[in-house]
Amino acid sequence: QLVESGGGSVQIGGSLTLACAASRGFDDADAEWGWFRQAPGKEREGVAAIDTRGSVTIADSVKGRFTISRDSAENTAYLQMDRLQPEDTAMYYCAAALGVLVGDSWRKPSSYWYWGQETQVTVS
């Protein structure tokens, strides 16, 4: 039910914007959105999350460079990535959870109900 777009290859210091669109019938009003990434040989890590009120949580590793946002009218979440570095190279996933995620549960993949299909981001 989630379709990702916007990945690709970019030079060091460049920018990319990922989008995650939910299918018709998906009620964004109750959804908390999250973005994850997974590099080869590493565990999937939470990058950012935004709750139903628009409150944002950003992982320390990308704080100040990545921005998460949501457009409820379009049932879409975005991840704006600036000043990209080689260590940002990974497969990126969007996810949606219904209800409120408390504490650090936003970092846990098991907290989310729906997942996008993944999109590759390569920085070199």
Side-chain angles (χ1 to χ4, degrees):
Q1 289 192 333
L2 303 182
V3 179
E4 296 183 39
S5 60
S9 297
V10 65
Q11 292 184 337
I12 295 171
S15 297
L16 284 173
T17 300
L18 305 183
C20 179
S23 59
R24 291 183 66 181
F26 182 89
D27 188 357
D28 173 86
D30 295 326
E32 177 158 343
W33 294 90
W35 285 96
F36 288 76
R37 67 185 182 185
Q38 188 166 17
K42 294 188 176 181
E43 292 187 355
R44 191 170 299 190
E45 67 166 332
V47 174
I50 184 168
D51 69 13
T52 56
R53 299 164 298 174
S55 295
V56 167
T57 306
I58 305 289
D60 288 344
S61 58
V62 301
K63 194 167 291 182
R65 299 188 298 118
F66 287 16
T67 304
I68 186 172
S69 61
R70 63 192 294 164
D71 183 337
S72 296
E74 297 294 329
N75 271 1
T76 301
Y78 300 93
L79 185 68
Q80 173 68 39
M81 304 183 292
D82 298 317
R83 301 196 302 279
L84 284 160
Q85 301 299 314
E87 54 265 33
D88 297 318
T89 295
M91 203 68 77
Y92 282 71
Y93 303 81
C94 67
L98 297 181
V100 177
L101 300 183
V102 296
D104 277 348
S105 58
W106 73 272
R107 300 178 181 273
K108 300 177 182 178
S110 60
S111 297
Y112 295 84
W113 294 31
Y114 305 101
W115 288 87
Q117 82 280 10
E118 75 191 19
T119 187
Q120 177 69 41
V121 171
T122 303
V123 185
S124 61

